[in-house]
Structures are given as structure tokens and as C-alpha cells.
Amino acid sequence: MLLTLRPLRLDDTAAVHDWARLPESCRYQAWGPNTPEQTQAYVRAAVAAPPDRLVFGVLLDGEVVGSAELKLHGSSTAEIAYAIHPRRWGQGIATAAAQELLRRGFSEHGRHRIFGTCDPRNLASAAVLRRIGMRYEGRMRGTAHIRDGWRDSDLYAVLADD
């Protein structure tokens, strides 16, 4: 299994839509399930994103199976996010992608603190954040409106010297 991250490209739209259209992919997200037009708009925005928003395709043996994002906040902080096709859940792909985002954030972008958030009900994502060395810092209330109402977000973070 060879996992790599590379900048998301317009020709990744079909692969992204393959999971962005699925209810299980966006269960805990403010987006989706996406129409083809919504996925196309997301990919276009990701490709044209400013330099402080780095959006990657997650490739497994050359196939796009997810996306990963590193958002740079100011000069010292970054945020990570990831989405993996449900057919690839439980294979360590999200963990490997998140670890690579941390590496890039600390090594290539000199960040002091990197954080990630997840819906408290998303136990798998919380486990990924803990596996990559992030510590639970608390719960932020009412941060995103999703299909079943306002949701909270659990905050996890790691420091460069942790």
C-alpha cells in the first residue's frame, strides 16, 4: 500500500464525487450529500484556493480515495481535515494522511500548533486525531449546522514540541 498526497486537480472531480455523494461520507459534515455540481464547485475552489489553504488528493496506489486539507492560520497555527471514501474506512488511510499533514505543517510550514475538530459522535475521526498524537482540548458548542441541527465540535491539537 503506497499512500501519497498531491495537490487536488480538476480531473479528480469524479473520484471526489464518488464519496461526496454518499450520506455516510457527510453524516457529520455541514456539506453533502453533494450533487455533481456541488462537488465540481468544491474541487474548483480547492484547486484555485489561496496559498494558506492546501488541498490534497489522497492517493492509494495511484487511485484518489480521499482528500486532505491543511489550512494555515496566521504564522504559527494550522488546521487539518480529511475525508476518505467509505469503502476504504478502517484501513489506516485517514491516519496516514493526517500524519502527513502534520509532517508538512510542522516541517514545511514551521507551525507551532496544529489542530483538528470533529463531531463528538464521529468516534472514528476522534480516534484518528488521538492516534496521530493530538490531545483532546475540549468541546466547542454549536459550531456547525448540519441536517439534524446544530452540532458541537471536539477540538484536538498537537504542538511542535509534543
Side-chain angles (χ1 to χ4, degrees):
M1 173 174 96
L2 175 62
L3 185 118
T4 56
L5 300 186
R6 63 137 168 83
L8 199 63
R9 303 187 310 223
L10 290 175
D11 63 354
D12 295 329
T13 302
V16 172
H17 189 63
D18 197 39
W19 75 82
R21 65 184 172 80
L22 301 173
E24 60 267 37
S25 292
C26 56
R27 178 177 176 195
Y28 302 115
Q29 304 301 326
W31 57 266
N34 282 8
T35 65
E37 295 77 20
Q38 289 169 321
T39 300
Q40 186 176 54
Y42 163 77
V43 173
R44 282 187 177 154
V47 168
D52 62 349
R53 181 179 176 221
L54 307 166
V55 186
F56 304 97
V58 177
L59 281 71
L60 181 64
D61 298 327
E63 175 192 359
V64 177
V65 297
S67 63
E69 187 165 336
L70 181 67
K71 287 184 185 176
L72 307 176
H73 298 284
S75 62
S76 63
T77 303
E79 177 180 4
I80 66 168
Y82 42 82
I84 305 300
H85 196 298
R87 77 170 181 264
R88 298 297 190 159
W89 288 353
Q91 299 176 16
I93 296 167
T95 299
Q99 285 174 324
E100 177 60 13
L101 291 173
L102 287 185
R103 187 198 67 75
R104 291 178 187 214
F106 289 130
S107 300
E108 297 176 12
H109 298 281
R111 300 290 123 164
H112 167 69
R113 180 175 186 273
I114 299 177
F115 70 94
T117 63
C118 67
D119 185 306
R121 299 169 293 179
N122 192 343
L123 303 180
S125 192
V128 167
L129 296 172
R130 286 191 307 273
R131 258 194 304 279
I132 65 171
M134 290 189 165
R135 296 181 189 173
Y136 176 75
E137 292 190 341
R139 180 160 295 167
M140 300 177 291
R141 296 178 33 216
T143 59
H145 192 269
I146 62 175
R147 287 150 302 286
D148 62 354
W150 284 98
R151 72 150 207 193
D152 296 344
S153 292
D154 282 352
L155 174 64
Y156 292 82
V158 62
L159 303 179
D161 55 4
D162 276 350

